[in-house]
Amino acid sequence: MNTEKSSEAVSATAGQTVENLHSFAAGIKAEDTARDAVAETKSTDAERGDDTGFVPDDSIEERCPAIFEEKREDVTYGAFIHDTYYSDTCRMERGCSILLPADYSKERKYPVLYLLHGIFGDEYSFSNDDSNRIKEIVGNMAADGLIEETIVVCPDMYATSDPEQKPAFDPESVLPYDNFINDLVNDLMPHIEENYAVLTGRDHTYLAGFSMGGRETIYITLRKPELFGYVCAISAAPGIVPTKDSFMTHEGQISEQEMRFADGATEPNAFIICCGTRDSVVGTYPRQYHELLEANGVDHIWYEIAGADHDNNAIRSGLYNLFKRIAYDRGR
Ligand code: FER
């Protein structure tokens, strides 16, 4: 990649409108990209992500079946609330959005998914975007008895202690994303476990993220594998290991050799990495993560979503397959 091209890309990014930046945070608005194209290239229903049924096994389906992403008349879905917590890591009060099940009750205990947004996002990136179908996927799968009712926590992943600092495509401006691991583990998770009716322990604690959130999902999982039983990194952004793409030069959070769990670490029950085949933002970086993990002997699941861009089709697919695996492991 030549320097001229990358500086062009950076200045183009600087000129983005708020609406365009939102597409980084929560996925390009592209309803059902190339569903038909996918259907043409795939031969079996399982490969296509059949719209009519659920296959109760541990197979990956590229597309979230319509029966799980569509709103049903007979299901009452959860709703997002907003909360704040004091972060010792950032030395300030910070916000998060929390999807609580419709019949949320302190008398019960629920598993919890921490869901991390993309670059330029915040705690509203997922809750303000109905087309990711998070409410529907979680609500429908719970209504069908496949998963337990689940709390979804959507943090603000920009863990800076300087209120004036803003994200951008340069090494210093992305550092707060890499600092989120500390805010999550030391501040947000304790806050959630203290104030909400959540089950604790890795089997009931899940981590997923999109793009920049996918990158941090992989990083956090490698560093803290004992905390999360089920993990899904969707369309993960570059920069875990050193590289240079059209947006910036990445020093790397860790080296390629360090892209593994520590010896003897407790590993997630499922560590899923996925990406659309037409991702126009992160390209083949997720595949490179998969190849590195494979070379380093890290157990994980890798799949591609035919025809999906850097968009909600990838997000729906990743979330669906994460929950499908949980359902399978629970014998549902
Ligand atoms: C990059 C390419 C993509 C990068 C971040 C992204 C920090 C993130 C995209 C997104 O979150 O949608 O080089 O560097």
Side-chain angles (χ1 to χ4, degrees), residues 24 118-119 169 174 211-212 215 237-238 245 247-248 250 281 310:
F24 279 103
I119 197 164
F169 287 107
V174 298
S211 200
M212 199 62 187
R215 156 174 154 174
D245 71 345
F247 293 97
M248 61 177 279
H250 298 271
V281 176
H310 200 67

Side-chain angles (χ1 to χ4, degrees), residues 1-31:
M1 203 107 12
N2 67 50
T3 327
E4 218 177 283
K5 190 164 176 238
S6 70
S7 58
E8 256 174 43
V10 172
S11 52
T13 307
Q16 294 270 11
T17 62
V18 171
E19 177 58 27
N20 287 344
L21 292 180
H22 174 82
S23 72
F24 279 103
I28 296 166
K29 288 259 186 307
E31 289 289 308

Side-chain angles (χ1 to χ4, degrees), residues 60 207-209 211 214-215 217-219 221-222 230-237 240 259 261 268 270-276 282-294 298-305 314 317-319 321-322:
I60 292 290
L207 180 64
S211 200
R215 156 174 154 174
T217 292
I218 296 174
Y219 177 69
T221 300
L222 293 177
Y230 293 88
V231 175
C232 183
I234 304 160
S235 318
I240 301 176
M259 189 103 181
F261 296 118
F271 184 8
I272 303 174
I273 295 180
C274 62
C275 189
V282 302
T284 56
Y285 278 103
R287 170 177 282 279
Q288 289 177 34
Y289 290 144
H290 148 64
E291 286 167 358
L292 272 175
L293 291 171
E294 193 168 63
V298 176
D299 210 6
H300 67 285
I301 296 161
W302 158 249
Y303 76 96
E304 287 177 306
I305 305 126
S317 169
L319 293 177
N321 281 294
L322 180 71

Side-chain angles (χ1 to χ4, degrees), residues 152-192:
V152 182
V153 178
C154 301
D156 170 2
M157 210 180 55
Y158 201 62
T160 179
S161 47
D162 173 4
E164 300 305 314
Q165 191 182 15
K166 297 284 174 273
F169 287 107
D170 66 72
E172 205 187 313
S173 304
V174 298
L175 278 179
Y177 290 117
D178 300 340
N179 188 37
F180 178 68
I181 183 171
N182 298 307
D183 180 78
L184 174 67
V185 172
N186 300 323
D187 304 303
L188 178 58
M189 288 176 72
H191 172 79
I192 296 296

